[in-house]
Amino acid sequence: MPQHTFKLNGRPVTVEAEDDVRLLWVLRDLLGVTGPKYGCGIGVCQACTCHINGKAFNPCSVPVSKIKPTDEITTIEGLPATVGKDLHPMQEAWLAHDVSQCGYCQPGQIMAAVAKVRQARAAGHEIGAADLDELRNICRCGTYSRIREAIKAGAKNM
């Protein structure tokens, strides 16, 4: 069986998996990283959102064979380490704004929010309404107004 090596949450990992296995299943089933959730399997709901080299992506639609040994995958479990704290500022904002209801989509929501804040800053501005409108993560509980407020608050502390 083929071996695949990459960095996961700051540590090198090697797994044996067929080349066509989606990265989400490698993370969840082979590596025991359950923060990224399975929702649709085609990158639409974005419950599985993680970061690859600092940018948001959906591992449900990426075969593990597309991940290079130099790629850094960050999941919600590894996000706090990116700032050297117990919780990332975006996670703290989520708690402060009481965003979660069922909580299923929240890891993906937070990962997308952090990437969007970074993207806005790389473009030379703070996150605004137009940036928030670009986020497409689905929340079946409908906590979108709290999500938007938490993103703005979290961005201030990032």
Side-chain angles (χ1 to χ4, degrees), residues 46 109 112-113 116 127 131-137 147 151:
Q46 301 184 23
Q109 296 274 4
K116 184 55 75 175
I127 196 161
D131 301 300
L132 295 172
D133 290 345
E134 292 173 357
L135 291 171
R136 295 287 180 233
N137 295 64
I147 289 169
I151 293 170

Side-chain angles (χ1 to χ4, degrees), residues 77-107:
E77 290 89 347
L79 189 61
T82 65
V83 292
K85 297 169 121 184
D86 289 337
L87 289 176
H88 188 277
M90 196 63 70
Q91 291 171 302
E92 292 172 347
W94 240 250
L95 293 172
H97 287 267
D98 197 25
V99 173
S100 296
Q101 275 190 309
C102 83
Y104 193 82
C105 71
Q106 298 313 305

Side-chain angles (χ1 to χ4, degrees), residues 43-99:
V44 174
C45 75
Q46 301 184 23
C48 65
T49 302
C50 295
H51 295 169
I52 183 167
N53 306 319
K55 297 188 187 308
F57 85 115
N58 300 112
C60 72
S61 57
V62 178
V64 68
S65 61
K66 299 292 183 190
I67 305 301
K68 300 180 291 234
T70 55
D71 284 335
E72 170 81 32
I73 307 300
T74 305
T75 68
I76 192 75
E77 290 89 347
L79 189 61
T82 65
V83 292
K85 297 169 121 184
D86 289 337
L87 289 176
H88 188 277
M90 196 63 70
Q91 291 171 302
E92 292 172 347
W94 240 250
L95 293 172
H97 287 267
D98 197 25
V99 173

